[in-house]
């Protein structure tokens, strides 16, 4: 079965022609796909025979929403079933400038960050670019709103799924497709230095975000095991290359965990590492995850941390507005509820849709 959302217009054309139809039918098919329809029956400008062939050979509904939670601030977190039955999460958020979707890139994750719920059962498989898009199509269909910003910050490590991530960036910025601007896509990574350098060569306008979370090498190793493969120095060197090649400001994400990485010494060290670079620091109070023993830093201490970075080290620093914290909107938390402890096996079979909680 073909996932039609996973084909670009050229590939659709080849498919259509190979199945005995005129090439221009691919354009019509693509327009329907981009509209986010899930049934071929809606494609009324295509013949019934062609529609029947399409549904015999492939499918559209590659992210079927099985559970949706709406937070008081309007953030919607959904759990979607992929065509093979795997479950992944996506989040829809509303900002001043429009609507944003937080896209998952893998089923689970193998990076092993100690504070993250996505990594609890390891990684099951990579998502395809079509499945990244499917999350956006499904959320646009659910909300009736057009998404104009995407963050690759759902479960998974986008640079551990490099080719599909690149293909997604190309597909979603296609002007006949979702037509996102490169600048409105943020790719967040735990710091795969080699892939960051490779990405620097792709001539993209996307925003790169680095999940740093600790400026001290041995401490970072204990919360982010990837540090043993790529040291902080290696990540910073890759970021320098990225900035030099793209001219784009890089974001550093820093989740503040009470008593773990929120001291003045951490802020000072972070300031020393990033001082003078074309970067921006985004401070995030850690989301408490039931399976983990972490609590967020108190707000007065967050402000103190911020002022060390911004006043002393002159680094642009923001504090992330927390959206959807009443609905377990942090990475992997919704899905984790449905997994047996420490596995990726889904425990419950019938899921419900909760709207307007
Ligand atoms: N693997 C990528 C993208 C997915 S995680 C990465 O590491 O960047 C997206 C962001 O959410 C990362 O910054 C990650 O560190 C952060 N995150 C994960 N669990 C969190 C939690 N419990 N509280 C706050 N941020 C968390």
């Amino acid at each position: 079965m073909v996932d039609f959302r996973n084909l670009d217009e050229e590939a659709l054309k080849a498919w259509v022609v190979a199945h005995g139809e005129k090439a221009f039918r691919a354009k019509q098919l693509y327009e329907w796909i981009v509209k986010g329809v899930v049934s071929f029956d809606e494609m009324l400008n295509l013949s019934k025979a062609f529609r029947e062939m399409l549904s015999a050979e492939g499918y559209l509904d590659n992210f079927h929403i099985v559970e949706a939670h709406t937070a008081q601030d309007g953030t919607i977190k959904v759990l979607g079933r992929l065509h093979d039955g795997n479950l992944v999460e996506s989040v829809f958020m509303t900002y001043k400038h429009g609507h944003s979707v937080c896209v998952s890139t893998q089923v689970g994750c193998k990076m092993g960050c100690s504070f993250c719920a996505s990594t609890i059962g390891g990684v099951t498989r990579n998502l395809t670019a079509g499945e990244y898009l499917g999350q956006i199509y499904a959320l646009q269909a659910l909300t009736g709103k057009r998404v104009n910003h995407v963050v690759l910050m759902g479960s998974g490590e986008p640079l551990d799924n490099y080719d599909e991530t690149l293909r997604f960036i190309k597909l979603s910025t296609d002007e006949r497709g979702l037509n996102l601007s490169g600048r409105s896509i943020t790719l967040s990574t735990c710091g795969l230095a080699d892939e960051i350098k490779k990405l620097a060569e792709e001539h993209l306008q996307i925003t790169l975000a680095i999940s740093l979370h600790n400026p001290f090498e041995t401490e970072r190793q204990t919360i982010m095991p990837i540090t043993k493969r790529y040291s902080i120095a290696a990540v910073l060197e890759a970021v320098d290359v990225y900035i030099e090649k793209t001219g784009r400001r890089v974001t550093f994400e820093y989740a503040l965990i009470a008593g773990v990485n929120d001291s003045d010494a951490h802020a000072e060290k972070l300031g020393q590492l990033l001082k003078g670079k074309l970067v921006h620091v985004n401070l995030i109070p850690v989301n408490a995850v039931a399976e983990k023993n972490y609590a967020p830093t108190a707000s007065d201490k967050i402000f103190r941390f911020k002022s060390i970075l911004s006043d002393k080290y002159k680094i642009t620093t923001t504090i992330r507005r927390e959206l959807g914290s009443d609905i377990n909107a942090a990475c992997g938390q919704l899905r984790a509820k449905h997994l047996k402890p420490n596995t990726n096996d889904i425990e419950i079979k019938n899921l419900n849709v909760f709207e307007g909680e």
Side-chain angles (χ1 to χ4, degrees), residues 292-305:
K292 315 281 182 176
N293 229 349
Y294 291 132
T297 298
S299 62
D300 56 336
K301 212 160 176 196
I302 297 180
F303 286 115
R304 184 182 167 90
F305 201 94

Side-chain angles (χ1 to χ4, degrees), residues 102-103 105-106 109 111 113-118 152-159 187-191 209-213 220 224 253-257 284-289 292 294 320 330-333:
C102 176
V103 167
T105 58
Q106 294 177 315
C109 185
M111 297 297 134
C113 301
S114 65
F115 45 82
C116 182
S118 299
L152 298 178
M153 286 193 189
S155 60
E157 166 50 52
L159 295 184
L187 186 161
S188 178
T189 175
C190 61
I210 308 290
S211 302
L212 192 66
H213 306 324
R220 189 173 189 266
M224 298 183 71
E253 292 162 278
Y254 198 99
L256 286 157
I257 312 172
I284 309 149
V286 77
N287 279 297
V289 176
K292 315 281 182 176
Y294 291 132
R320 184 181 294 173
C331 277
Q333 293 190 3

Side-chain angles (χ1 to χ4, degrees), residues 1-32:
M1 294 288 271
V2 183
D3 177 353
F4 287 105
R5 288 175 168 175
N6 197 29
L7 304 183
D8 63 15
E9 206 177 336
E10 279 310 302
L12 279 176
K13 209 176 273 176
W15 192 92
V16 163
V17 170
H19 286 76
E21 281 282 342
K22 297 244 163 42
F24 78 92
R25 295 287 175 206
K27 183 165 182 277
Q28 293 174 314
L29 180 56
Y30 190 51
E31 281 165 6
W32 284 112

Side-chain angles (χ1 to χ4, degrees), residues 204-222:
L204 301 171
Q205 284 297 301
I206 61 165
T207 300
L208 177 68
I210 308 290
S211 302
L212 192 66
H213 306 324
N214 205 307
F216 294 112
E217 188 74 10
T218 48
E219 288 184 21
R220 189 173 189 266
Q221 282 179 7
T222 66

Side-chain angles (χ1 to χ4, degrees), residues 136-194:
I136 303 170
Y137 293 148
L139 282 164
Q140 288 193 150
L142 180 73
T143 60
K145 308 262 170 46
R146 187 176 133 66
V147 168
N148 57 359
H149 193 258
V150 169
V151 293
L152 298 178
M153 286 193 189
S155 60
E157 166 50 52
L159 295 184
D160 186 43
N161 185 16
Y162 189 91
D163 293 344
E164 291 303 300
T165 294
L166 252 275
R167 225 159 60 73
F168 165 75
I169 294 167
K170 298 217 165 94
L171 282 168
S172 62
T173 52
D174 175 7
E175 55 185 27
R176 286 222 282 271
L178 283 172
N179 194 20
L180 294 173
S181 82
R183 286 172 182 252
S184 66
I185 300 174
T186 299
L187 186 161
S188 178
T189 175
C190 61
L192 305 189
D194 290 342

